[in-house]
Amino acid sequence: MEFFNKVGSSISNKSKNVARKAKELAEISSLNNQINAQEDIINKICLEIGKTVYEKREAFPDTELEEKYNATSNAYAEITRLKSKIIFVKGAKQCPNCGIEVPLTSSFCPDCGTAVPTPEPEPEIEDFVIPPDSIIYHPNEPN
């Protein structure tokens, strides 16, 4: 009988430990989720601060940030170029005033009335062949 009491007591202690550990893990998980939520808030606020600083960069020049300002301006310019290219691929053109998509057949923007010139087609790149006898091989490079 004493054996069964010891086994029962051991099982009871183990189950209490397991329950305590499960409660600890649940609490730790909840606290980590709260930390992540606060970090998300910080990241969002920092992003807003960064955008505000970038937008006001002319009024508050900062030599430490100049490289980042330039990189950001270049990225915005590339986005604009890519959006224009999407419009061109779709067979349309972009209003230089308001930026909306305008059919190629339209001379004026239907939204703001600005004259919209037809874009020049991109020059075609011709295929060219390099004759095999014009290739120079260096002895240290594999053929």
Side-chain angles (χ1 to χ4, degrees), residues 66-86:
E66 193 64 34
E67 186 176 321
K68 293 187 185 334
Y69 289 157
N70 290 337
T72 303
S73 295
N74 290 341
Y76 278 127
E78 181 65 4
I79 288 170
T80 301
R81 186 189 72 78
L82 293 169
K83 285 181 178 180
S84 294
K85 194 166 185 172
I86 288 171

Side-chain angles (χ1 to χ4, degrees), residues 42-103:
I42 290 169
N43 289 335
K44 182 179 177 189
I45 291 169
C46 286
L47 182 64
E48 290 172 6
I49 290 169
K51 284 182 178 181
T52 301
V53 168
Y54 173 75
E55 290 167 358
K56 295 181 180 184
R57 68 192 178 282
E58 300 293 327
F60 305 102
D62 186 333
T63 55
E64 286 183 42
L65 295 176
E66 193 64 34
E67 186 176 321
K68 293 187 185 334
Y69 289 157
N70 290 337
T72 303
S73 295
N74 290 341
Y76 278 127
E78 181 65 4
I79 288 170
T80 301
R81 186 189 72 78
L82 293 169
K83 285 181 178 180
S84 294
K85 194 166 185 172
I86 288 171
I87 291 172
F88 183 75
V89 168
K90 289 167 62 175
K93 53 188 174 180
Q94 188 173 21
C95 174
N97 184 48
C98 68
I100 71 161
E101 195 172 308
V102 179

Side-chain angles (χ1 to χ4, degrees), residues 106-134:
S106 297
S107 297
F108 296 93
C109 176
D111 197 47
C112 69
T114 302
V116 182
T118 301
E120 294 291 323
E122 291 186 14
E124 291 187 29
I125 299 173
E126 296 181 24
D127 291 335
F128 60 93
V129 178
I130 300 173
D133 60 337
S134 68

